[in-house]
Amino acid sequence: LVSDGYDAYVINVGDSRCILIEGKPTNNNDVIHSKQKSKNKRRNKWSLSYRQISSDHNPAKRLDEQERVRNSNGQFWRQGDELRLYPKDKTFKEARRKGLAINMTRAVGHSTLCNHGLIAVPECYHVKIEQDHEYIFIMASDGLWDILKNEQVF
């Protein structure tokens, strides 16, 4: 995540995801009672919403990534709900034994699978920052997203 206060850029590669929680002031002003001061203050009420910013590079969820890998000398083995990428010139058993089976289509630093469809090219996403809004970016790997849905994190 890179931001200058006006624009934010999320750059994603691998089995990670980013969601954005955004707070926006509503139009109606209500009186808020403060316990620390006896005076009433007028403050904006806020509404909260979330949206998914990036997309996991999980081949089971991305048909576009499956096609790209298959066109780049890679193939997949279905293991339950997961697809494992491995080289076309090996059996899945041999690839797994050699550490050449992975359940993502993009990652940094795999010198063998980069010849079989795994790429390190990130996907980039832009968010325009509104000066009167509040933002919380939640970035996590599959350790979180395999267990909790976006709505549960929000």
Side-chain angles (χ1 to χ4, degrees), residues 25-42:
T26 61
N27 289 333
N28 59 345
N29 290 329
D30 286 344
V31 176
I32 305 294
H33 298 281
S34 171
K35 292 183 179 180
Q36 295 177 355
K37 296 182 181 179
S38 60
K39 295 181 182 179
N40 292 335
K41 294 184 176 181
R42 289 213 172 266

Side-chain angles (χ1 to χ4, degrees), residues 35-62:
K35 292 183 179 180
Q36 295 177 355
K37 296 182 181 179
S38 60
K39 295 181 182 179
N40 292 335
K41 294 184 176 181
R42 289 213 172 266
R43 293 189 182 165
N44 286 339
K45 281 193 166 189
W46 291 77
S47 66
L48 291 176
S49 62
Y50 81 95
R51 61 187 157 127
Q52 184 172 322
I53 300 297
S54 66
S55 180
D56 311 28
H57 296 124
N58 180 331
K61 298 175 183 176
R62 298 274 308 263

Side-chain angles (χ1 to χ4, degrees), residues 9 19 28 37 43 54 57-58 61 81-82 93 101 145 148 154:
Y9 296 91
I19 66 169
N28 59 345
K37 296 182 181 179
R43 293 189 182 165
S54 66
H57 296 124
N58 180 331
K61 298 175 183 176
D81 290 339
E82 294 183 354
K93 188 175 181 179
W145 303 121
L148 298 176
F154 170 65

Side-chain angles (χ1 to χ4, degrees), residues 1 18-23 48-49 134-139:
L1 171 67
C18 177
I19 66 169
L20 170 62
I21 299 173
E22 185 172 359
L48 291 176
S49 62
E134 295 289 328
Y135 298 91
I136 301 171
F137 290 86
I138 299 176
M139 297 175 284

Side-chain angles (χ1 to χ4, degrees), residues 58-73:
N58 180 331
K61 298 175 183 176
R62 298 274 308 263
L63 296 176
D64 59 330
E65 290 288 288
Q66 286 181 37
E67 183 178 351
R68 184 188 54 71
V69 167
R70 286 188 176 109
N71 291 334
S72 301
N73 207 28

